[in-house]
Amino acid sequence: MKIAVLPGDGIGTEIVAEAIKVLNVLDLPLEMESALVGGAAYEAHGHPLPESTLKLAKEADAVLFGAVGDWKYDKLDRPLRPEQAILGLRKNLGLFANFRPAICYEQLVGASSLKPELIAGLDILIIRELTGDIYFGQPRGRRTAVDGHFPGAEEAFDTMRYSKPEIERIAHVAFQAARKRSKRVTSVDKANVLETFQFWKDVVSEVGQQYPDVALDHMYVDNAAMQLVKAPKKFDVVVTGNMFGDILSDEAAMLTGSIGMLPSASLNASNQGLYEPSHGSAPDIAGQGIANPLATILSAAMMLRFSLNQPQAADRIESAVKDVLASGLRTTDIWSEGTTKVGTRDMGDAVVAAITKKTTKG
Ligand code: NAD
């Protein structure tokens, strides 16, 4: 089982180190190889996604990714910015389905900014299409950028587009995921204003006819944003396009208390995947040893389950994370009165210890 490890920038290196520690105690035949990506790769090779990194990722069964980006790269031309590495990996590996589970752990109910009764027991799955929409549409407004900006320009534009096969395949993913859960899908669009999303709605409905056992409803994105904070437990599987999914999944992330808790998986048609925390490189706290590594550790668990076919190992990690939270250990982002504040490494060590303890007992 080959894993390409791409820690990236900022807290990326700190949190991925903890996930590797956890993977290493599972006693699995994992082959891990690291490479530079993002700003770190730009500094070393002049490009955020060097050929060698892409090759490693393509040849691996799965990619474990930290995060990329830093404000200091904001002035670079867009193709050289760290974030382009993620878009390049998604495109080259054909990663079209992004799974973002938002689960509220019992012990963290108090860390959410919403009332406990609204989020206790929350377990929703946002499925975001990753390869189409306005992020990849042509034509795009192209001007000669100066320091990444367009002085004197009167307009800029990006074009929203989706093809039928792109919508069909993500719709199938959503209906199949719903079959393993509560058999409900909400498709989020903006069909009242955008042609692209009227088309999206029509195609999702058409695919839905092949899944008579799954209930499908449609919601406009503005209403979905509101309902997510008003009554999040009304949702189960939410499927949406690239841009709406980007925004709604971050909103859903915060329901659970901290973005530092949320894993994600991006899969292609053959279940090869890229696994990364939902958050970014957090330059504001990088190097301080205080980042929460749990989203990355839980991403490693998703990797074992979805791409490496090791569901039991995934269960062991997830159960160890619950044990650690139950023991009262918290990184700063999820800390509350009466719990014990720990740093990134201590949190990783605690998960390792919880796994080892259970293994010894078992
Ligand atoms: P961010 O997610 O990096 O940080 C937002 C806030 O959440 C910050 O206050 C940060 O300290 C906190 N935070 C994030 N992860 C945390 C963790 N594990 N533990 C504790 N606190 C955590 O988003 P941002 O500040 O908007 O962006 C920073 C950089 O990351 C930018 O360059 C952006 O482009 C990039 N980014 C990268 C990815 C990615 O690599 N997939 C995703 C989003 C943003």
Side-chain angles (χ1 to χ4, degrees):
M1 290 180 272
K2 274 175 87 172
I3 303 171
V5 180
L6 310 182
D9 307 319
I11 62 169
T13 48
E14 303 167 46
I15 52 183
V16 166
E18 300 312 310
I20 290 176
K21 236 160 50 180
V22 170
L23 287 169
N24 277 334
V25 291
L26 293 170
D27 219 8
L28 293 170
L30 303 175
E31 227 181 87
M32 295 190 248
E33 197 177 326
S34 297
L36 296 176
V37 74
Y42 173 76
E43 304 281 354
H45 303 289
H47 196 278
L49 183 59
E51 269 306 315
S52 52
T53 302
L54 184 57
K55 184 166 179 281
L56 182 74
K58 277 183 171 170
E59 287 170 2
D61 297 307
V63 178
L64 183 62
F65 191 94
V68 291
D70 192 291
W71 316 127
K72 71 180 175 191
Y73 301 113
D74 280 359
K75 290 191 165 177
L76 284 178
D77 279 351
R78 199 162 294 281
L80 294 178
R81 292 198 201 166
E83 294 78 6
Q84 293 298 314
I86 311 172
L87 299 184
L89 282 164
R90 283 176 190 159
K91 207 169 177 172
N92 280 285
L93 299 181
L95 306 171
F96 70 92
N98 182 227
F99 283 64
R100 296 237 200 148
I103 294 171
C104 186
Y105 289 91
E106 200 187 314
Q107 297 83 5
L108 295 184
V109 168
S112 172
S113 49
L114 294 193
K115 290 183 195 136
E117 61 270 28
L118 287 184
I119 47 119
L122 180 78
D123 179 359
I124 62 182
L125 175 63
I126 302 215
I127 299 181
R128 167 187 170 198
E129 202 289 330
L130 276 185
T131 57
D133 208 345
I134 199 160
Y135 295 170
F136 292 102
Q138 298 292 336
R140 312 184 77 174
R142 293 182 72 84
R143 315 254 172 238
T144 311
V146 177
D147 287 348
H149 297 278
F150 308 102
E154 294 296 324
E155 66 162 5
F157 54 90
D158 302 273
T159 311
M160 183 175 270
R161 64 157 285 290
Y162 261 117
S163 70
K164 191 171 186 193
E166 281 171 338
I167 304 171
E168 284 172 338
R169 68 182 180 176
I170 195 74
H172 281 294
V173 166
F175 285 113
Q176 281 161 20
R179 274 192 170 157
K180 295 184 193 143
R181 299 171 52 103
S182 70
K183 298 193 170 62
R184 284 185 295 123
V185 170
T186 303
S187 169
V188 172
D189 61 59
K190 189 73 183 170
N192 48 344
V193 178
L194 298 169
E195 299 302 341
T196 313
F197 273 92
Q198 180 59 54
F199 183 55
W200 169 283
K201 188 172 178 176
D202 293 349
V203 176
V204 173
S205 302
E206 204 178 299
V207 173
Q209 288 170 8
Q210 296 173 43
Y211 299 86
D213 52 323
V214 179
L216 168 67
D217 68 344
H218 302 273
M219 198 179 274
Y220 295 140
V221 63
D222 39 351
N223 187 23
M226 186 177 78
Q227 297 298 334
L228 263 178
V229 286
K230 188 175 168 221
K233 284 190 267 185
K234 278 212 300 215
F235 294 100
D236 190 61
V237 173
V238 174
V239 64
T240 189
N242 206 343
M243 180 167 63
F244 299 156
D246 193 0
I247 300 164
L248 292 183
S249 54
D250 266 25
E251 187 188 354
M254 273 321 291
L255 299 176
T256 68
S258 170
I259 200 158
M261 289 300 301
L262 291 183
S264 83
S266 303
L267 299 173
N268 67 18
S270 47
N271 274 349
Q272 187 192 21
L274 180 144
Y275 298 83
E276 59 172 334
S278 297
H279 57 74
S281 55
D284 55 335
I285 57 164
Q288 296 177 29
I290 58 170
N292 186 346
L294 292 179
T296 316
I297 290 171
L298 291 166
S299 301
M302 284 181 93
M303 173 176 80
L304 291 167
R305 180 170 291 119
F306 289 122
S307 288
L308 304 179
N309 200 20
Q310 298 290 330
Q312 283 164 350
D315 288 346
R316 287 170 72 197
I317 295 181
E318 286 161 359
S319 143
V321 167
K322 283 186 192 145
D323 290 351
V324 168
L325 292 174
S327 75
L329 300 188
R330 303 281 189 272
T331 40
T332 313
D333 56 309
I334 49 174
W335 180 83
S336 58
E337 211 63 58
T339 60
T340 310
K341 204 181 274 185
V342 293
T344 311
R345 272 198 215 144
D346 291 339
M347 189 55 111
D349 288 344
V351 176
V352 166
I355 292 174
T356 321
K357 195 170 151 192
K358 280 207 165 133
T359 314
T360 320
K361 263 194 194 165

